[in-house]
Amino acid sequence: MTSTSEALSGPKALGAFLRAHRERITPEMIGLPSSPRRRTSGLRREELAQISGISATWYTWIEQGREVSISPHTLARVADPQQTPQQDGVNQLILHSVQAVTVPCYLLDITWNMLAWNAQAEALFAGWLGEEAQPNLLHFMFFHPLAKTLVDDWPDRARRVVAEFRAETSHHQSSETMRAFVRQMTHHSEDFNHWWQQHDVMARAGGERRFRHAEQGQMRYQQLTLHPAESSALKLVMLMPLP
């Protein structure tokens, strides 16, 4: 016969903890609609899996105590689905690292605010970057007149940007910060709203980026995107020049 202590050790203990934790979280606590027909006051497995950015099957296996791997970052999202990425107090070393790069480089947070950028990036986005107190890459793409002349084939690139943004932020869309940002974008930009409603996702953080610069002419880059290990909600973007 298996003792209680043995049954609730390792993966089974984690599963029991997550189930008890899930049952204490109400839909209202994380901004989900509630219904009087709900049979439980807590979250369903599918709901917690969705807002944590993992599959319902995988989450079910974890709660059942199966031997599956789960990273500390994923576990933190599951244990605290209300958490939002830290936008203040970013490690100064990460911010300063942008200046050490010799190609256009910038650091984005979860809603694509530019937290830092180097001189090469400012030269590429001359006329926008460096002129706003809090530049935002999505605001630039959909609200700034320079975007449609600087970004080559703007309609296709803008469509892809929305799909990439949806894929990248899928597990943060229940946070009030993200919902407010998306409401602002969909309300003020018909183009963003149109592509957002398509529900396309494109997990593609690299690829070729082409620009038509007013002074330097046609410019081609290969995008390299890195996520700092201690701040995975941030992303460091480098544009490597192509011939």
Side-chain angles (χ1 to χ4, degrees), residues 18-64:
L18 291 179
R19 178 177 180 178
H21 184 66
R22 172 176 60 82
E23 292 174 347
R24 290 196 300 268
I25 302 175
T26 64
E28 293 84 357
M29 290 170 63
I30 58 172
L32 292 178
S34 184
S35 169
R37 296 183 179 180
R38 291 181 69 98
R39 297 180 180 179
T40 175
S41 59
L43 293 181
R44 301 185 182 95
R45 285 174 174 172
E46 296 79 7
E47 292 170 333
L48 184 54
Q50 181 179 6
I51 64 177
S52 300
I54 62 178
S55 73
T57 299
W58 189 30
Y59 175 77
T60 299
W61 288 350
I62 296 171
E63 201 173 276
Q64 289 175 343

Side-chain angles (χ1 to χ4, degrees), residues 53-197:
I54 62 178
S55 73
T57 299
W58 189 30
Y59 175 77
T60 299
W61 288 350
I62 296 171
E63 201 173 276
Q64 289 175 343
R66 298 195 190 187
E67 294 285 349
V68 296
S69 61
I70 179 171
S71 69
H73 179 64
T74 300
L75 180 58
R77 292 206 311 267
V78 172
D80 184 10
Q82 293 176 277
Q83 68 174 336
T84 55
Q86 292 295 321
Q87 297 186 3
D88 299 318
V90 177
N91 188 313
Q92 291 299 306
L93 183 61
I94 298 176
L95 294 174
H96 293 161
S97 69
V98 175
Q99 307 305 325
V101 180
T102 59
V103 298
C105 179
Y106 47 87
L107 182 69
L108 300 178
D109 68 6
I110 192 64
T111 55
W112 290 17
N113 290 312
M114 280 199 171
L115 304 182
W117 60 89
N118 62 8
Q120 292 85 347
E122 188 165 323
L124 175 61
F125 293 97
W128 168 65
L129 201 53
E131 298 185 5
E132 297 184 11
Q134 182 59 77
N136 180 283
L137 192 57
L138 285 172
H139 286 181
F140 170 72
M141 284 294 294
F142 291 95
F143 302 134
H144 201 287
L146 176 64
K148 292 185 178 181
T149 59
L150 177 64
V151 178
D152 191 49
D153 194 4
W154 181 89
D156 181 67
R157 183 68 199 126
R159 176 184 61 81
R160 290 173 175 267
V161 160
V162 175
E164 290 170 13
F165 180 70
R166 179 181 281 279
E168 196 173 282
T169 61
S170 60
H171 52 270
H172 295 298
Q173 288 177 15
S174 63
S175 74
E176 181 53 37
T177 298
M178 183 59 65
R179 290 202 304 270
F181 181 78
V182 171
R183 281 198 302 268
Q184 178 203 46
M185 292 296 302
T186 56
H187 179 73
H188 293 288
S189 171
E190 292 184 5
D191 290 323
F192 182 92
N193 182 57
H194 171 73
W195 287 315
W196 183 260
Q197 299 304 328

